[in-house]
Amino acid sequence: MSGAQGTVTKRSANQRCRREIVRAMENGDNVLIDALPSIGKSSNVIPAARETDSPVTILTARHDLYDQYEEWCKDYQKEYNDNFEFQILPSFLNDCPTACGDEGDGWQQQVKRIYDRGVSGRDIHNHANRFFGEPLPCTENNECPYDETRNFDADVLIGHYTYAYVHPAVNGRVVVFDEFPEDDFVTDFDNPSVAVSDFLKSSTNIPFNDFTDLITNRLDPSYRDAALKVLNDIPIGQLDNPSAVLDDPTGQTHALAPHIVFTLVNSEQIDGKWECSTLGHEAGVYNRESGKVRVLRPPRLTDARNVIGLDGTPSWRMWNIVLGCGLGANEMLEHKQILTDDERREYVRDVLSLTVIRTTSDAKHYSGGKYVDPEKEKALIEAVCSKHRDSPALITTKKAVVKYKKVGALNELAYYDHYGNIKGSNKYGQSRVGIVIGSQVYGYDYVEEWASFLGEQTDSNGKGMNLSFSEFGDEVLHHMRELEVTQAIMRFGRDTNGATVYVHTAAIPDWMPISAKGRVSDRGRGYGQVVRALSEIQRASTDDIAAHSEVKIKNRQVGRVLDKLEEEGHVTYEKSGRKGVWVDRSLDTVNPSFDVSLPS
């Protein structure tokens, strides 16, 4: 790929992306398409499928993407005179009348209770008599929309990521994962003791009475071997069999309880904190300090024609882990970066016309909310609002939003949201002014968990922008921090009419073009004292201001503050006889605590 300046256009980037998708479909290659937001990853899938005559299953978690794909499919139906079939695969929670609540709240709550214990919608329908003592009311006439509206032979199937577990949905088809499916193939058990204890009580062949007994005796060879003899008889991919819940439908066990037990009895110690267990392309990790278990259960995709991942800011190794690629059943995804780093810089600056202004040299890790400085960032937001005619939009962390609300920092914004709610969203597409505050670091455990899936130990060093882990640990850190900030920056002005984005974190990839820098700094307590004093008396000499009851600093310091206020245009100095006086011109607009400097 050429990195020459002035060579990248929106059209050329889109065509390059399409060629890579077509090539993967033609050759049957497993690939991860790495293309910046707005290049057109999703919109190229169906044209590529038509060009290569490939049956495609498109999997995503977002219903707005379902609607977008449906619209594209309808366009193709018109073009090909209906010689083109597509199917929106039904969702249990959205299409089953019982799960939706159409059959009453009582039924909905019963169904949700079983669903939350890891049992699929299909298994709930198939085993309703054992779960509830009677069939689901939606199946009375064998007409439940969830159970009946499936046509796995359609040219294009569109559904949730979890359809990757459904063999007819992937068999012989190109399987496209639109965006990173982390939350759908990884299940966290912060406190697995109840689910495991209930499972063990109903599993007489496994020699542990409850979770405490399991933790106490799991390293004893006789107990361990006896448990593994039972668990190893379960075929790979069936450690989530709903039988664990079927055997105890009124209890609190989970369909993945057998997987948790296997993880705990088969694990290898990585360090003093983490253990890891693998079974084929599945895995589990155990945190000895917190007791948390994380279960990875990727879909089995060996019968798919090939697999294509689409992501604007991907971590290649994390994608391969989540899909079980290289761990046994599924082949590795090949990373296909559509634009070089130089071209990315050019694309953001010249094609999208984004002006990125960085206002701090700190990482601003704001996920936990502890380090959020709401008053200081309120000053930044107010300064941006004052500078621009268009009302800005804000993206920050969830905890920061809560703190900003309390101090009224969000009142002048067009809208705001948190990082976890923006991926794939076009809500900010026509925003001309954006603000991104803080970066995401979910915690060191998150990095360590991912490394543990590979049996790797990782240790942290440094803080803020100097925070570092092992090689893979740094990739995970980059994924949750810099790449999330990138996604936020590129939400704005996606219509290519441009936007100015103020970024209050230094967690930005090296290739992101920074047009200018600003700053937000503390003024010092004396500044506010002088502002309040002169605001009250309106006209006064330096000595009179220094003598005011509000002012606790010396005359010389008062003079320096007044000179600064004059430089900023908030006061003027006028001669009055032998003495000069300072006159309030716009002190009501001054933030007495913070100085915000933005480029002109």
Side-chain angles (χ1 to χ4, degrees):
M1 298 179 199
S2 170
Q5 293 297 303
T7 59
V8 180
T9 65
K10 189 172 179 65
R11 179 178 172 82
S12 68
N14 180 278
Q15 289 177 334
R16 195 183 294 181
C17 180
R18 180 167 173 171
R19 284 197 299 271
E20 288 294 348
I21 295 174
V22 166
R23 186 178 294 117
M25 290 183 179
E26 286 179 336
N27 299 336
D29 296 332
N30 288 352
V31 299
L32 173 59
I33 302 295
D34 178 352
L36 291 177
S38 84
I39 282 180
K41 300 177 292 296
S42 303
S43 62
N44 274 311
V45 172
I46 294 170
R50 293 298 301 174
E51 183 176 334
T52 59
D53 195 26
S54 302
V56 174
T57 297
I58 301 166
L59 303 178
T60 184
R62 289 176 30 229
H63 282 274
D64 61 319
L65 262 180
Y66 290 8
D67 296 340
Q68 182 65 77
Y69 275 115
E70 182 177 13
E71 184 179 327
W72 289 327
C73 285
K74 287 178 178 177
D75 290 341
Y76 263 85
Q77 280 186 327
K78 293 176 184 177
E79 184 175 344
Y80 289 93
N81 299 318
D82 294 334
N83 187 26
F84 174 79
E85 286 188 281
F86 72 94
Q87 166 82 59
I88 304 293
L89 296 171
S91 159
F92 176 61
L93 295 180
N94 292 308
D95 296 313
C96 170
T98 307
C100 288
D102 294 348
E103 303 292 347
D105 291 344
W107 266 110
Q108 184 183 33
Q109 290 170 10
Q110 287 189 74
V111 165
K112 189 175 186 308
R113 181 173 56 82
I114 298 297
Y115 186 78
D116 287 345
R117 292 167 64 191
V119 181
S120 70
R122 172 54 64 87
D123 283 329
I124 289 174
H125 279 76
N126 291 343
H127 303 292
N129 280 322
R130 289 187 63 183
F131 286 131
F132 314 112
E134 58 181 312
L136 296 181
C138 59
T139 62
E140 186 174 336
N141 297 314
N142 296 319
E143 294 180 354
C144 177
Y146 171 73
D147 220 26
E148 297 298 322
T149 55
R150 289 181 176 87
N151 172 19
F152 291 117
D153 293 324
D155 298 290
V156 175
L157 301 177
I158 303 163
H160 190 268
Y161 295 130
T162 49
Y163 268 101
Y165 291 127
V166 180
H167 188 258
V170 300
N171 185 36
R173 306 180 67 90
V174 178
V175 181
V176 177
F177 291 91
D178 196 331
E179 299 179 355
F180 186 46
E182 172 181 359
D183 296 334
D184 298 284
F185 303 138
V186 179
T187 307
D188 292 330
F189 295 90
D190 292 327
N191 181 12
S193 60
V194 175
V196 170
S197 292
D198 276 18
F199 167 67
L200 291 173
K201 288 172 185 175
S202 62
S203 304
T204 56
N205 293 331
I206 298 178
F208 303 108
N209 296 320
D210 52 30
F211 184 77
T212 301
D213 188 23
L214 168 63
I215 295 299
T216 303
N217 295 302
R218 66 194 178 103
L219 300 181
D220 184 304
S222 60
Y223 283 90
R224 183 178 183 276
D225 292 346
L228 287 175
K229 186 177 187 303
V230 175
L231 294 167
N232 282 329
D233 285 340
I234 301 174
I236 291 177
Q238 294 186 23
L239 277 175
D240 70 325
N241 196 300
S243 60
V245 181
L246 285 168
D247 292 341
D248 185 23
T250 61
Q252 298 183 67
T253 192
H254 192 280
L256 284 173
H259 205 309
I260 299 172
V261 174
F262 183 87
T263 294
L264 293 171
V265 298
N266 189 56
S267 62
E268 296 183 5
Q269 188 167 332
I270 298 171
D271 54 29
K273 182 177 179 180
W274 294 97
E275 299 177 11
C276 176
S277 173
T278 58
L279 177 65
H281 68 309
E282 300 185 2
V285 296
Y286 173 53
N287 184 327
R288 295 161 67 99
E289 293 180 2
S290 69
K292 177 181 176 180
V293 175
R294 193 169 218 221
V295 171
L296 168 67
R297 200 173 67 85
R300 197 171 182 85
L301 301 170
T302 48
D303 290 335
R305 180 185 292 190
N306 64 300
V307 177
I308 298 174
L310 306 178
D311 200 336
T313 52
S315 162
W316 174 73
R317 291 185 76 182
M318 292 175 74
W319 264 88
N320 278 292
I321 290 171
V322 161
L323 295 184
C325 299
L327 298 178
N330 305 325
E331 293 183 7
M332 295 284 283
L333 301 176
E334 184 180 356
H335 185 203
K336 297 287 186 179
Q337 183 173 316
I338 301 304
L339 300 179
T340 66
D341 284 354
D342 284 343
E343 289 172 325
R344 284 173 164 180
R345 189 175 296 111
E346 179 186 344
Y347 187 83
V348 171
R349 184 189 61 235
D350 300 335
V351 177
L352 298 183
S353 300
L354 291 183
T355 300
V356 180
I357 298 171
R358 200 186 78 193
T359 58
T360 181
S361 58
D362 298 325
K364 304 288 184 186
H365 295 162
Y366 281 2
S367 291
K370 179 180 179 182
Y371 300 108
V372 176
D373 194 337
E375 292 290 354
K376 193 170 190 176
E377 277 124 28
K378 180 183 179 183
L380 171 62
I381 292 170
E382 289 175 342
V384 173
C385 289
S386 177
K387 181 177 174 62
H388 294 272
R389 179 183 304 173
D390 296 314
S391 296
L394 169 70
I395 297 172
T396 185
T397 68
K398 201 169 186 177
K399 295 287 181 68
V401 167
V402 173
K403 292 198 170 188
Y404 296 155
K405 281 182 179 178
K406 291 180 179 178
V407 300
L410 308 176
N411 297 343
E412 296 184 58
L413 297 172
Y415 33 81
Y416 56 86
D417 216 327
H418 60 86
Y419 282 108
N421 221 22
I422 64 165
K423 194 158 189 181
S425 170
N426 292 319
K427 174 181 176 182
Y428 298 86
Q430 295 183 349
S431 297
R432 298 291 159 247
V433 184
I435 308 172
V436 178
I437 298 180
S439 61
Q440 297 254 83
V441 172
Y442 314 135
Y444 293 2
D445 278 4
Y446 180 82
V447 178
E448 294 166 1
E449 283 169 351
W450 278 97
S452 296
F453 277 135
L454 296 181
E456 293 183 7
Q457 179 177 347
T458 184
D459 298 308
S460 64
N461 297 288
K463 294 181 180 180
M465 290 306 299
N466 293 319
L467 179 62
S468 181
F469 295 86
S470 64
E471 180 181 351
F472 178 51
D474 283 344
E475 184 176 333
V476 177
L477 173 63
H478 190 69
H479 163 80
M480 67 175 169
R481 190 176 66 176
E482 278 83 354
L483 297 186
E484 287 293 317
V485 171
T486 301
Q487 282 279 348
I489 293 171
M490 298 191 69
R491 293 300 102 193
F492 302 102
R494 294 189 72 180
D495 57 6
T496 70
N497 289 325
T500 299
V501 186
Y502 296 88
V503 185
H504 199 54
T505 173
I508 304 172
D510 292 339
W511 56 262
M512 179 65 71
I514 305 301
S515 300
K517 296 179 182 179
R519 61 174 174 77
V520 186
S521 56
D522 296 336
R523 290 194 186 274
R525 62 188 179 88
Y527 193 97
Q529 294 169 11
V530 172
V531 168
R532 286 189 290 271
L534 186 52
S535 295
E536 181 181 320
I537 54 182
Q538 297 294 300
R539 295 171 64 90
S541 67
T542 302
D543 290 341
D544 291 338
I545 296 170
H548 193 280
S549 60
E550 279 277 357
V551 178
K552 312 298 182 186
I553 58 177
K554 296 178 180 180
N555 286 40
R556 183 177 296 177
Q557 293 171 288
V558 171
R560 283 199 290 265
V561 171
L562 290 165
D563 288 341
K564 175 69 173 173
L565 287 168
E566 183 182 31
E567 180 186 324
E568 294 174 352
H570 298 300
V571 301
T572 56
Y573 185 72
E574 297 179 359
K575 287 287 186 180
S576 179
R578 297 176 60 189
K579 266 187 163 182
V581 294
W582 295 96
V583 181
D584 175 6
R585 295 301 182 195
S586 58
L587 290 176
D588 59 329
T589 67
V590 173
N591 187 305
S593 302
F594 305 105
D595 178 25
V596 181
S597 175
L598 301 177
S600 57

